Amino acid sequence: MDAVMNGAIAGATTVLITNPFDLAKTRLQAQGELVAEGHYKRAYSGVINTLIKTSSSEGLLAVQKGLQAAIVFQIIMNGLRFGSYEIVKDIANQQFHLYNSHGYVKVLSNIGISAGVGCFSAFVSSPFNMIKTRLMLQTKDLPCGNRYNYSGLIDAISQIFKLEGLKGLYAGSSIMALRTGLGSAIQLPVFDFTKEHGKQWIKNQTELNMLASANATLWLCLMTCPVEVALTRYFNQQFDKYGNPTVYQGCFHAIKIIFQSEGFLGLYKGLGGLFFRSGPQSFISLLIVNQLNSLRNQKKQ
């Protein structure tokens, strides 16, 4: 339970800092939808430009659109992800002896556990990520903006459930699970691997955590950006009265038609925003979780 609380605290804390960058990432990923580069007018030219234009045209607080949904999303996802990861890893080690004679976690087992708990936490928290995305894209600056008109988190849940039922709330949950499972399979094992192999050179625990977090974030962003773009587009598309998608049928279909229409770089739209969002989020979350775990262990001793 302590691990779950630590993950929830870390997620809720970091989102206050990273939410504006998440908004910039989301809007950059949505612009130029299925249009070749050079054939549409850019609403935003980068992360900083997106934040400046958003605050000037919609108000200073507009850069925090979707914050309420983002906080709930992070509390649920990170609480379950970090908590389940430690619990499952400990159980699996007792049953299958994941540590070798040097104390290193077996990489493949670690990846499997990370991916599993990542998919589970993503599926449970998916509705809040969808609502966050739609709230962030409520703008007149983007042609794809204002597809949905919600006054806030509760209104969004009410409208979606009333029109589409539970199916509508969990639209895109499979893509969400894939993205988070992939991210967890990369992030947590790379973090653990870097810590385990870096401790022979770096003795300071905080410095070691910082290095491991930075390395994990780098690989996380590079590997998950195409799925992130597909997820943003899927969440923001229109659904028919039966709750069926009208443009993107799933993750791989979305990636396929984005690649065909916008080219390879279309799959990496918003990469800068993803780094600005995921960098501090991953770094601070992992740092907070490890520091809280260290304090918990010291208290037990």
Side-chain angles (χ1 to χ4, degrees):
M1 185 57 69
D2 285 342
V4 174
M5 288 298 298
N6 290 349
I9 291 169
T13 303
T14 55
V15 77
L16 296 172
I17 302 169
T18 61
N19 195 63
F21 300 115
D22 195 9
L23 177 135
K25 172 201 74 81
T26 301
R27 293 190 173 189
L28 288 166
Q29 288 176 337
Q31 75 172 346
E33 186 172 13
L34 300 182
V35 180
E37 185 66 34
H39 290 76
Y40 66 91
K41 184 178 179 181
R42 283 172 172 257
Y44 310 110
S45 59
V47 176
I48 303 303
N49 176 261
T50 303
L51 296 177
I52 292 173
K53 188 168 183 178
T54 299
S55 59
S56 62
S57 64
E58 302 171 46
L60 288 175
L61 293 180
V63 297
Q64 289 286 13
K65 276 187 175 179
L67 178 61
Q68 190 179 14
I71 290 174
V72 177
F73 166 65
Q74 288 294 334
I75 287 174
I76 295 173
M77 188 183 73
N78 276 323
L80 289 175
R81 186 162 67 104
F82 284 108
S84 299
Y85 178 71
E86 293 300 330
I87 293 168
V88 174
K89 191 171 70 172
D90 288 343
I91 293 173
N93 179 51
Q94 292 173 7
Q95 296 295 322
F96 305 107
H97 307 292
L98 299 183
Y99 295 87
N100 62 20
S101 58
H102 299 288
Y104 297 158
V105 179
K106 292 181 179 178
V107 176
L108 290 178
S109 300
N110 218 10
I111 291 174
I113 293 170
S114 299
V117 299
C119 289
F120 170 71
S121 62
F123 181 83
V124 174
S125 60
S126 179
F128 299 99
N129 193 33
M130 177 179 67
I131 292 169
K132 177 202 70 173
T133 300
R134 291 180 179 180
L135 288 170
M136 287 177 170
L137 291 174
Q138 288 186 173
T139 174
K140 295 179 181 178
D141 293 336
L142 282 171
C144 65
N146 294 329
R147 284 182 176 166
Y148 295 92
N149 186 24
Y150 306 135
S151 60
L153 174 60
I154 303 302
D155 180 56
I157 294 173
S158 176
Q159 285 196 44
I160 296 169
F161 189 77
K162 189 181 297 182
L163 292 172
E164 304 168 40
L166 194 61
K167 179 181 178 181
L169 284 171
Y170 277 90
S173 58
S174 60
I175 305 177
M176 181 67 190
L178 173 64
R179 191 267 287 176
T180 309
L182 177 62
S184 295
I186 296 167
Q187 183 189 37
L188 295 176
V190 170
F191 181 81
D192 276 350
F193 183 85
T194 306
K195 278 186 64 178
E196 289 169 353
H197 288 79
K199 62 186 178 185
Q200 54 186 309
W201 295 289
I202 302 174
K203 302 303 179 184
N204 184 282
Q205 190 64 37
T206 301
E207 292 178 1
L208 182 59
N209 286 341
M210 290 172 66
L211 173 65
S213 297
N215 192 35
T217 300
L218 172 65
W219 286 99
L220 172 74
C221 293
L222 290 175
M223 298 300 293
T224 62
C225 192
V227 183
E228 284 267 1
V229 174
L231 185 64
T232 295
R233 301 285 183 85
Y234 190 94
F235 279 158
N236 193 49
Q237 70 180 325
Q238 294 286 355
F239 292 79
D240 64 22
K241 63 181 181 180
Y242 303 107
N244 299 314
T246 56
V247 180
Y248 307 103
Q249 303 303 310
C251 179
F252 298 110
H253 178 253
I255 289 174
K256 176 184 175 182
I257 62 176
I258 291 168
F259 178 77
Q260 290 173 341
S261 303
E262 304 170 47
F264 177 76
L265 293 181
L267 296 172
Y268 279 87
K269 282 182 175 177
L271 179 61
L274 182 60
F275 270 108
F276 278 111
R277 195 276 316 263
S278 297
Q281 192 171 61
S282 173
F283 177 79
I284 297 171
S285 292
L286 290 170
L287 198 60
I288 290 174
V289 167
N290 275 271
Q291 293 296 349
L292 289 173
N293 285 340
S294 296
L295 289 173
R296 181 189 63 187
N297 292 333
Q298 289 174 12
K299 192 174 180 180
K300 285 182 178 179
Q301 291 174 359

